[in-house]
Amino acid sequence: MTEIRAAQALCQSGVIAEANSDALFITYDLSPQADVSRLKHLLAQVPVLTRAMEDASSQSGASAELHVTLAVGEQVWERFDGAQRPAELLPFPQQQRDQLSAPATPADVLLHIRSNRHDINHEMASRLHALLAGHLVLVEQIHGFRYLDSRDMTGFVDGTENPQGDDRAAVAVIADGPFAGGSYIHLQRYEHDLQRWNQLAVKQQEDIIGRTKTENVEYAGADKASFAHTKRTSLKDAQGKSVEILRHSMPYGDLTKRGLLFASFGASAVPFTRMLESMFHGEEQGGAYDKLLDYTVAVTGQSFFAPGLAMLESWNDA
């Protein structure tokens, strides 16, 4: 318990804070003119700027519960810290099976901005974007939002298995060592084919997910098909304990494209990799794949590391 409390104090607040109703997922690449030393100093200001924005919003009404998590991509980590690298910060574990794929589309910096007010998120994003101008080039900005009663665009409740309470830090935050307070982040943007999905009968959809649609009751293990999403993503380790990640995923969409911005946070990168491999290959190569992949396509895939507060402070002093 002491280690968990320490991890909570050492990590960026957005890593383990409870879910918000609104979020921006903003990815950047380093510009050719980037001064990484200067950029590190600017990024180190993000927690202070976030607190100031949260305090200002609270003075005008209820707290927006603003959080910003910044993370660095695996391809450029050495430019930020050439002396040490998180052991599991690896290229995105891209997958391929027949026509199904989970591509790797690397990006250099992630800003995950979330609160219960889209206007506050927008204002925070605008200020940080201006602050970092000249060092970063925008890759993608996705607006995620709570949909109905925390459902994905498929109509099913999302994030049911997320860890709660102190377990969030135990799952998502490195507890000790040189990277204490840090978290491995994997980001994927999925685009749903809702026209095809909605042609299925509700029972067919439920069998694919492994959970009832309206009541959100998970099937018993014996009743799940090998291709069910909850079967393919509910794994055990060698000791029989559940393999867990902390999800900060959110639906996104407009009148033409709708999907899920999937965000995995972990004290280790291994659980996410195992889950993704299981979705595509089952228990072993050639096993049953997650049939939900017939109705949604991963179009991005990125690996990041979110440094703890102590490392960010060292960037400020550099």
Side-chain angles (χ1 to χ4, degrees), residues 29-158:
D29 282 339
L30 296 183
S31 75
Q33 298 79 32
D35 179 340
V36 174
S37 295
R38 177 61 179 164
L39 177 59
K40 288 171 63 176
H41 175 75
L42 294 174
L43 290 174
Q45 312 308 310
V46 170
V48 174
L49 296 173
T50 303
R51 287 193 294 272
M53 175 69 80
E54 168 63 9
D55 290 344
S57 70
S58 298
Q59 291 173 7
S60 61
S63 167
E65 298 182 20
L66 173 68
H67 303 280
V68 180
T69 301
L70 69 92
V72 175
E74 54 86 18
Q75 286 194 329
V76 298
W77 179 265
E78 276 73 18
R79 295 187 62 181
F80 285 77
D81 190 338
Q84 53 185 355
R85 180 185 179 93
E88 296 175 15
L89 182 57
L90 301 171
F92 184 85
Q94 58 187 342
Q95 305 293 318
Q96 185 73 46
R97 177 170 176 170
D98 300 326
Q99 80 282 7
L100 306 175
S101 67
T105 59
D108 295 339
V109 173
L110 166 68
L111 292 178
H112 178 207
I113 303 172
R114 61 189 182 95
S115 77
N116 296 327
R117 290 177 54 179
H118 182 48
D119 59 335
I120 295 297
N121 290 348
H122 175 78
E123 180 64 21
M124 191 74 219
S126 298
R127 295 185 183 187
L128 293 178
H129 186 71
L131 179 71
L132 303 172
H135 301 287
L136 299 177
V137 177
L138 181 66
V139 175
E140 187 169 63
Q141 175 183 347
I142 300 298
H143 172 210
F145 50 87
R146 183 175 294 157
Y147 180 61
L148 303 177
D149 51 339
S150 298
R151 293 179 184 264
D152 176 53
M153 292 289 186
T154 59
F156 285 78
V157 174
D158 189 48

Side-chain angles (χ1 to χ4, degrees), residues 14-318:
V15 172
I16 58 172
E18 294 294 334
N20 294 107
S21 61
D22 203 276
L24 291 172
F25 300 85
I26 307 174
T27 49
Y28 292 96
D29 282 339
L30 296 183
S31 75
Q33 298 79 32
D35 179 340
V36 174
S37 295
R38 177 61 179 164
L39 177 59
K40 288 171 63 176
H41 175 75
L42 294 174
L43 290 174
Q45 312 308 310
V46 170
V48 174
L49 296 173
T50 303
R51 287 193 294 272
M53 175 69 80
E54 168 63 9
D55 290 344
S57 70
S58 298
Q59 291 173 7
S60 61
S63 167
E65 298 182 20
L66 173 68
H67 303 280
V68 180
T69 301
L70 69 92
V72 175
E74 54 86 18
Q75 286 194 329
V76 298
W77 179 265
E78 276 73 18
R79 295 187 62 181
F80 285 77
D81 190 338
Q84 53 185 355
R85 180 185 179 93
E88 296 175 15
L89 182 57
L90 301 171
F92 184 85
Q94 58 187 342
Q95 305 293 318
Q96 185 73 46
R97 177 170 176 170
D98 300 326
Q99 80 282 7
L100 306 175
S101 67
T105 59
D108 295 339
V109 173
L110 166 68
L111 292 178
H112 178 207
I113 303 172
R114 61 189 182 95
S115 77
N116 296 327
R117 290 177 54 179
H118 182 48
D119 59 335
I120 295 297
N121 290 348
H122 175 78
E123 180 64 21
M124 191 74 219
S126 298
R127 295 185 183 187
L128 293 178
H129 186 71
L131 179 71
L132 303 172
H135 301 287
L136 299 177
V137 177
L138 181 66
V139 175
E140 187 169 63
Q141 175 183 347
I142 300 298
H143 172 210
F145 50 87
R146 183 175 294 157
Y147 180 61
L148 303 177
D149 51 339
S150 298
R151 293 179 184 264
D152 176 53
M153 292 289 186
T154 59
F156 285 78
V157 174
D158 189 48
T160 302
E161 299 300 320
N162 246 1
Q164 303 297 319
D166 289 342
D167 288 343
R168 296 170 74 84
V171 168
V173 182
I174 297 173
D176 51 27
F179 297 102
S183 185
Y184 295 96
I185 300 177
H186 291 91
L187 205 64
Q188 291 180 285
R189 182 166 65 83
Y190 284 87
E191 290 184 3
H192 297 341
D193 187 343
L194 293 181
Q195 183 174 3
R196 290 183 60 236
W197 175 255
N198 290 329
Q199 289 174 353
L200 298 176
V202 170
K203 183 60 168 63
Q204 288 178 287
Q205 294 179 353
E206 292 176 336
D207 290 347
I208 289 171
I209 299 296
R211 185 184 294 125
T212 61
K213 189 170 186 177
T214 301
E215 300 85 1
N216 189 35
V217 176
E218 188 163 347
Y219 286 15
D223 295 332
K224 289 181 183 178
S226 58
F227 57 71
H229 179 66
T230 54
K231 177 75 170 181
R232 297 274 47 85
T233 57
S234 298
L235 307 178
K236 303 289 185 182
D237 63 17
Q239 289 72 45
K241 296 177 61 177
S242 294
V243 174
E244 292 187 284
I245 58 174
L246 179 58
R247 298 167 177 83
H248 285 305
S249 308
M250 296 196 86
Y252 72 91
D254 53 28
L255 296 180
T256 60
K257 290 183 180 180
R258 299 174 190 177
L260 181 74
L261 201 300
F262 182 86
S264 165
F265 288 59
S268 167
V270 173
F272 169 80
T273 300
R274 284 195 57 196
M275 288 182 186
L276 190 62
E277 290 174 344
S278 175
M279 288 174 65
F280 278 80
H281 304 292
E283 301 298 329
E284 58 186 17
Q285 292 289 323
Y289 69 87
D290 185 340
K291 201 167 180 60
L292 183 58
L293 295 171
D294 288 339
Y295 302 92
T296 189
V297 176
V299 294
T300 66
Q302 295 136 358
S303 296
F304 300 95
F305 187 78
L309 294 177
M311 179 168 283
L312 282 181
E313 184 61 30
S314 72
W315 289 4
N316 190 43
D317 296 338

